[in-house]
């Protein structure tokens, strides 16, 4: 029986991992062939389908990606930064494409991802939501039109368990604005304000971070000009949207040549 593209989900025991397992099973042409949790997880040994609230799939959760790599075609990794880099090395040695979902990488760590992508195809995106990636296109267009006539502020909110701040999506939104305006984000980003700072420098791009409760993800880019204000907002009400996008990326990257890709490539955005 043809299993289509065989997928391994790394981070299977987490909230996102369980949603990913369901998303893989729901998409035609894909099948779950591996599920990996961190060593010591109580999920190790459980059936991945049962773990995700589905019928049993006959795929046991393991604590070793190396143990399942031979049986899979693409790896979707939504684990931690440190674990992701270890898994990426395994995928390079095994010649397996990988979809990376972790955020918060340093520049040195991003360089490791770029190096890995010279050997295997890699999709790396700060956000796998189709809506967010459309918002990136809208934000770039707004920045080009408004130019230096508006102050730019980026506000993001996530659940209380999120580790990195600002979010990878917020930083990507800032990069898009900075690129459109010919600025270097590392030179103009302002991460929070306190005290008597004086008038705002219009060249800066401000970031505000909210953490609380079970907020899945909200991002707003505010363009504040004299006499008018434009806001571009994306709100995620379910992790399903991220999972469907990541699974779509996995289906897209299977069989491709080595290279580093983003969701804009998967979705065909900016192709002309």
């Amino acid at each position: 029986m043809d299993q289509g593209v065989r997928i391994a989900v790394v981070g299977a025991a987490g909230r996102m991992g369980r949603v990913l397992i369901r998303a893989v099973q729901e998409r035609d042409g894909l099948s779950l062939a591996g599920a990996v949790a961190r060593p010591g997880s109580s999920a190790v040994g459980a059936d991945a389908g049962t773990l995700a609230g589905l019928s049993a799939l006959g795929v046991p959760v393991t604590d070793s990606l190396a143990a399942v790599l031979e049986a899979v075609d693409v790896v979707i990794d939504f684990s931690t930064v440190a674990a992701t880099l270890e898994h990426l090395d395994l995928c390079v040695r095994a010649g397996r494409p990988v979809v990376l979902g972790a955020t918060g990488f340093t520049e040195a760590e991003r360089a490791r991802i770029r190096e890995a992508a010279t050997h295997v195809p890699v999709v790396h995106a700060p956000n796998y939501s189709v809506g967010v990636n459309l918002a990136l296109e809208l934000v770039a267009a707004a920045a080009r039109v408004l130019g230096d006539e508006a102050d730019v502020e980026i506000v993001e909110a996530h659940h209380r368990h999120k580790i990195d701040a600002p979010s990878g999506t917020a930083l990507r939104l800032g990069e898009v604005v900075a690129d459109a305006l010919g600025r270097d984000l590392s030179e103009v980003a302002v991460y929070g304000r306190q005290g008597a700072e004086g008038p705002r420098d219009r060249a800066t791009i401000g970031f505000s971070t909210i953490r609380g409760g079970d907020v899945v993800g909200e991002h707003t880019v505010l363009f504040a000009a004299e006499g008018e204000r434009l806001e571009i907002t994306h709100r995620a009400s379910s992790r399903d949207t991220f999972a469907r996008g990541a699974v779509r990326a996995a289906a897209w990257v299977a069989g491709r040549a080595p290279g580093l890709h983003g969701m804009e490539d998967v979705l065909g955005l900016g192709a002309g």
Side-chain angles (χ1 to χ4, degrees):
M1 180 178 176
D2 183 12
Q3 294 180 300
V5 179
R6 301 167 300 168
I7 305 295
V9 171
V10 181
R15 288 170 295 178
M16 188 63 189
R18 300 177 195 215
V19 179
L20 281 164
I21 290 170
R22 294 196 294 270
V24 168
Q25 289 303 110
E26 290 168 0
R27 187 176 178 96
D28 291 340
L30 302 184
S31 65
L32 186 75
V36 182
R38 61 175 175 77
S41 170
S42 60
V44 174
D47 184 273
T50 304
L51 181 69
L54 303 172
S55 300
L57 298 174
V59 179
V61 178
T62 179
D63 61 3
S64 169
L65 177 59
V68 300
L69 269 178
E70 286 299 317
V72 305
D73 301 309
V74 180
V75 173
I76 302 177
D77 191 326
F78 271 69
S79 61
T80 64
V81 168
T84 290
L85 294 172
E86 293 179 8
H87 299 150
L88 188 58
D89 289 341
L90 291 173
C91 289
V92 168
R93 290 198 289 271
R96 295 297 187 270
V98 59
V99 175
L100 302 180
T103 59
F105 293 97
T106 65
E107 178 51 40
E109 290 164 341
R110 287 194 291 269
R112 286 181 62 181
I113 294 172
R114 291 192 293 270
E115 165 60 22
T118 65
H119 303 284
V120 295
V122 177
V123 179
H124 184 212
N127 195 306
Y128 285 90
S129 158
V130 172
V132 160
N133 284 277
L134 290 172
L136 289 168
E137 296 288 308
L138 296 174
V139 165
R144 287 192 295 267
V145 171
L146 293 171
D148 296 320
E149 300 302 314
D151 297 318
V152 182
E153 295 286 325
I154 299 171
V155 182
E156 60 101 344
H158 283 86
H159 53 86
R160 65 191 307 273
H161 300 288
K162 186 167 178 59
I163 297 172
D164 55 314
S167 70
T169 302
L171 292 172
R172 181 59 188 146
L173 287 163
E175 290 170 350
V176 166
V177 172
D179 290 346
L181 297 175
R183 303 174 191 171
D184 183 338
L185 185 63
S186 66
E187 297 176 356
V188 300
V190 175
Y191 301 107
R193 298 183 178 87
Q194 183 178 10
E197 294 188 339
R200 187 193 195 282
D201 180 352
R202 178 150 285 171
T204 60
I205 297 173
F207 291 83
S208 298
T209 295
I210 299 168
R211 293 288 178 267
D214 60 355
V215 179
V216 175
E218 298 185 4
H219 296 86
T220 294
V221 181
L222 168 69
F223 296 90
E226 298 295 332
E228 64 178 350
R229 184 172 71 236
L230 172 65
E231 296 181 14
I232 298 175
T233 297
H234 179 272
R235 295 186 179 92
S237 57
S238 167
R239 288 179 177 80
D240 290 353
T241 184
F242 309 127
R244 287 193 296 267
V247 168
R248 182 171 177 172
W252 179 88
V253 80
R256 290 189 178 267
L260 182 59
H261 309 282
M263 269 305 278
E264 67 275 12
D265 301 309
V266 175
L267 299 174
L269 297 174

